[in-house]
Amino acid sequence: MSDAPPDPAPHGEVITRSYQQEMLDASLDENIIIAQDTGSGKTHIAVLRMKIECDREPHKVSWFIAPTVTLCEQQHEVIQKAIGSVGLIHGGLEPKQWIDPNLWREVLGKSRVIVSTPQVLLDALSHGYISLGREIGLLVFDEAHHANDNHPMNCIMRNFYFNLPIRLSTKASNHGPVREERPMILGLTASPMFGGNAAVAFRTLELNLDSVIRRPRQHRDQLETYVYRPEFRHVLYSMPWTYNNCYDSSKNFQALKQVAESMDIQKDPYVLSLRDSLAKMPPGPEKARLDQKLSKTIMKTSSYTHKGIKDLFGAAHDICYDLGPWAADWYIQRVVEFALENASPYSDITTAWRSREKTYLIDHLKRINITPVSYEPQAIENGISDKLRVLLRTLEEEKERAESLNEPYSGIVFVTRRDVVFALTAVLEHHPRTKDRESFRVGCLLGNSESAHRTAFLDITRKILRQPQGETLDEFRAGEKNLIIATAVAEEGLDIQACGNVIRWDIPNNMASWAQSRGRARRKRSTFVLMFERGGIDDARIAQFEQLERDMVAQYNAERKAVKRPPPVLSETDDNFEPCEFKVESTGALLTLQAAVSHLNHFCSVLPNSRHTSHVALYDIDPPDLPEGWHALADGQQDIQPYQGPFGCTLTLPKVLPPELRVYAVERKYPSKRSAYKHVAFKAYLELYKAGLLNDHLLPLTSIVEPQLEEEVKDMLKDIEKRDGTASVTSQLNPWLSLSNQQSWWSTEITVEGLPSLTLLTRIKIPALDLDELPVLYHPRRGRMGVKLGSAQVTYLSQEALTAAQESTRGLFWSLYGSRMEWPRLDFVYLFIINGDPDADTWLPRRSWAMNIDQANSERAHPVNAEEFALQNGYPTDLTWVRDGRSFGKLYRFVGWHYQTLTEEEEAKICARPMYSRFEEVRVTYPLLLVEPLPQRSNFLLPLPVSNATRNPFFLLPKYSYLELLSSTECEYSYIIPSILRRLETAMIVRSLRTTLFPRAPLAKIPSSSLTTAVTAPVAEDLTNYQRLESLGDAVLKFIVAVNLMATYPLWHEGYLTRRKDHAVANSRLAKEAVRRSIFRWIIRTRFSPKRFKPLYLSAPEQPLVTPADPLEETNDEPVVGGGKTRKEVEELSTKMLADVVESLIGAAYLYGGFDLGVSCAQLFGLGLEWHTLPECVEKTLSRVEHTDELSTQLSDVERMLGYTFRRKLLLVESLTHASYQYDDRTVSYERMEFLGDALLDMIVADFLYKYPGKTYPPHDIHIRKSAVVNTHFLAYICLRSSLDVDASMPKADKRGKIEMQSKTNTIRLFQCLHHSSPVILEDQKLTLARYDKVKDEIEAALTTGKLFPWAALTRLQAPKLFSDMIESLIGAVYLDSKGDMDTVKTLLGKLGVLSYLDRIIRDDVDVLHPVSRLSVWASRLQKPINYDYTEEKGLVVCTITVEGREAVSARAQKRGHASQEEARFAAAEKAISMWKVK
């Protein structure tokens, strides 16, 4: 519906006309269908009605339904300007996104009005995403005359509306509780007609929409003043030729006819391939199906080539008859030329056609002897029909009439066939009477939907069109085009307000088409012209339309009353004679007979697919359409009477489903084939739901297997979907703080090699640590220093003893860390007392002296002036640290006193040092202090060697220098205590993790060293971190999840399994479980920086607490966290870090206890799975495998290739069965086995790299090496090289006639043992083998002796994925058959060559970095962009790589689709690396 806007008021506000207000008032009282002419403003009434509904029903939306996408977009724009919050949903907006209930809730929450196509709303209601009674208050049907039969508009009403309670009131506002009731209905139409009886059509439409058809009565006269009904005219034309002789003067048609008549369907390559396949096929359903296909192809001559030529022939014949021979010649020439220009086998013009059929078709097109058309004016004029001449005359007359009224001409010519639109546009653009742009500027509009009249050759005219529909319409509205040649696409609803002339090239087929096309003439003084054939029947049809219109007007003007809809009566001839309906109560999703086929088609379309097979539901009608073997009967025997019913049907679903869910049948009792199809589809879809392959919305399971999880994770974590997302969590555990209120102290003796023992006093009990948990220090001068801990004992401290310990601790810390401390604070969480310091008696009086001379400020008494100290104590030599000034000046190590006088020059250099610049008249006095710099190392946990670096001593002036009053022992401890604390802290965090998270065996036995590695983040910059373990744990987790899913969901195909696995191991899921288990408390992520060390205190400084909603802007280097008495600081923690720690913990469990412990650890985190040990899973999976001893010779050969004999032969059969193979119903196709093998291969390779002797690869190096041997190209090579030589010796006569055995050997290749039914696979195998033979030596040499991994050579194989799939599925099968024996699988991988090649890659350090990656890294280093450009020339794909400042590099590959780009890119990258000398 396209309506004129209401009148604008002087100041811009919209004025509602009286007749519009009349209809609006009526719509508030009852459900109505507004029947008004196009251009009368029906949309404005609907907008006003929806605005009122927004106020009346604040908890419900108004839903505006338009029949086409174009209309939806047009009406959405209009409604949004008036209302604002308007949603738009249609199939063109990526409909797959609308399978998430959360999206529907969101759009309902944000929108007051929703605009959609009817199918969108029907699907949403059918799947329970929308509740019609609870969420929609008003339904508006645009172009409401469609609401009949099985149109989605009518299905919405029939399946959902009439099942709801009747609305209590049409006027009362509902601001209270939401009631479930029928929404109100408003229909909009210009022609409420279908069929030939107006009264019946009106009443049917009213019953279907539960409404009354209304037209303004009180203000009818005003309506007439705004509706400009065009002047009706007709023109007559003659047809001097008949349909059978119209082409006599068309040379191109004659040439096409000659080729078409010479074609023999029996010689068509498609028919020949069907016959060949049929002859080789064993008996069974697939053979019967193929027999029917062959017979129907021959009977209907519907092969690819015959249909293409037949379509071209039919379209050209119709054009020749309708437009004349010039148009036919032009059309044939243009289509054939365009097809030959795009004759590449990989062109998207004929993508659905197999190569041999394409070649056959192109050969026939080339045989058409095209005569180029002449564009001479006389040639065109002589070659057009009388009908076309009449159209030209009419156009000229209409243009002259419009200009006489001082109006620009604008017109639309409606044509039924899209091919005629195409050809007619060409004639008008070239005919001398219309080609002048000052006269006519022509454009064309073609519909997108399928039609019985659309028989364009291969739909090629759509490709030839030069301009999109939207641009043509915009140019027409702007006046840049003034004549549109259109199919029915422009009849209904498109907003074309400037049109003053409509011409019907073909008479309308029905009343709706008559009214709709006439309504496009919207301007005042417009005309509606029909073209009649003289002496034809068109005038009678027009009389019928005019009578129907008079009947319509009579129905409008009559007083119409609402009628109650009678209950439906099901007849025996109705397809629904058996009530078939299934409703999921929890969601309201409804499965109906009408929707079953489309639902099943959607289910099949989302099954995991490849280009070698198309997953479709196969319907075998019972009885078959043609007798078996009909194609082989003689011509006289092929005439058969069509069967009239009843019908049954057998439905076969794709082989990726298990046998018990694959085949369904209904008995022969349905009146039509369509009815049988619906019933068997309904039965199958219901069984799929019962088997758990559909969710409660009756849709295939999606990636959101647990819909609630996403909301949970979003509540718990921020930006969970982003890899760099963060989660607000409490900080790292502080193990030094006691959770209890006890005031006792624990005493632990620490012994460090080479030093007196140290007593550590803490409020918590230091646990007895294992040997691998104890600190080991690496001193720059002393070397390795072991540390031992005694047993912790409760001790009593008097206040005096406590104060002494606190002051001792402050003294140890102050010299190095005092700048970050407060002198009065003594409540340290740990206290230190040195036992048996040999120099204690010496330093005690020295410190007492210092306190006495500076009693006013005890803080200043800690370092003392060196000159004063020396004079008081006689220049002692047992000093350790000297500062070059007060206030924490730089520290140096004391070497000795220097008494000898220096030269004046040397003294001058000392005085000129920057440290003395603040003093006046600096003088050198003797003795001088001789000092040297302290060692740079402060982290003594790093295993660095003893430093032998030469330190250059220099002089300091005692008068301006200060001494630290610490003994040498105290200085050593001051240095190393932070490192000891760090190691103890880490050990206690890990102990806490073990006792809290892993309290029971066997997880409790995981070594502390492994757990420490597993929870240490890289940002901590410790000796070890979790990155390597995470790489291993990732592979372990994916593998054990895959095995558990295989056992738990035996009916799931690979697509479901993959989605569920990805969901279980996704960072979002792992992070959620980490938060749930409070893993963040034990992640060691604070960086250990001794130079910035600050001791911890029992209480926090006075400052406001911080809540998660107000995160800290600054945190300490080592935050105070974890204890019951401390505030909980909030950190922004990477969700990836949370997920990585979960994986590294699983990796640590696997390293210690194998897969059983790995499963136990994963089970701790849940991940939404029911966990079982791997042996249990394998046993459960094997319990469903039938035992059979039957094995073909071919499969025995596979066992010999693998070096493994299967106990359960069906596992081998399954691993070699492609989805296209339909002859063995005992197994599914190999996708499930490939799913398992993929995870298993990844696991074994990751484990191999992690544990390889002498190598500790970082994660990146593990990744690139693993990628080298698990990618599809490499595995395809493994498959191609796997073969077996078998004895094929045969008896043969020699030259003397003597019979003897002639020695012969045949090579059987692994890929040849694949079970399939696809000629495409055969062709691909043949071509891939040919490419393999060309590059195998190069690949083998690189893999066995080369220094670079052969990425480009492997890519040149261009092997389809099925080659690598075979290897992975066989790996999975061997694993299951061997009852999960990993050694057996490793032996298999050795036999295949995977592990031996990997071993060589590691042993000889082969460079495996991908060439494209190498170039990217290199360009990134140079900070220059790198560009890859692709062009096509002469059947080749050319990749050109450009980098600023470098000569461009190009490489070519044979065009074979997308894979060719990859091959060209790899080759170009390798060439660029060589030319540009990239390292």
Side-chain angles (χ1 to χ4, degrees), residues 762-782:
T762 57
R763 289 291 192 183
I764 52 96
K765 180 181 180 180
I766 304 293
L769 301 181
D770 296 333
L771 190 61
D772 65 340
E773 297 177 284
L774 292 172
V776 176
L777 307 179
Y778 298 89
H779 198 279
R781 288 181 291 107
R782 296 173 179 264

Side-chain angles (χ1 to χ4, degrees), residues 810-818 823 843 846-847 850 859-866 869 878-894 929 934 961-968 970-971 974:
R810 179 176 61 187
L812 289 174
F813 287 149
W814 189 262
S815 295
L816 290 177
Y817 319 112
W823 181 264
W843 283 97
R846 293 174 179 176
R847 281 193 282 265
E859 181 179 343
R860 291 178 57 86
H862 199 270
V864 297
N865 183 269
F869 179 87
D878 58 349
L879 307 179
T880 305
W881 287 342
V882 181
R883 290 190 187 275
D884 61 7
R886 302 237 358 191
S887 301
F888 304 104
K890 188 171 182 180
L891 275 175
Y892 300 94
R893 191 174 75 84
F894 175 80
L929 283 166
L934 293 177
S961 302
Y962 290 81
L963 302 176
E964 291 294 330
L965 301 179
L966 295 175
S967 70
S968 61
E970 289 171 323
C971 289
S974 181

Side-chain angles (χ1 to χ4, degrees), residues 1093-1108:
F1093 173 79
K1094 177 182 178 181
L1096 298 181
Y1097 297 92
L1098 287 171
S1099 62
E1102 293 296 327
Q1103 57 179 300
L1105 293 179
V1106 180
T1107 64

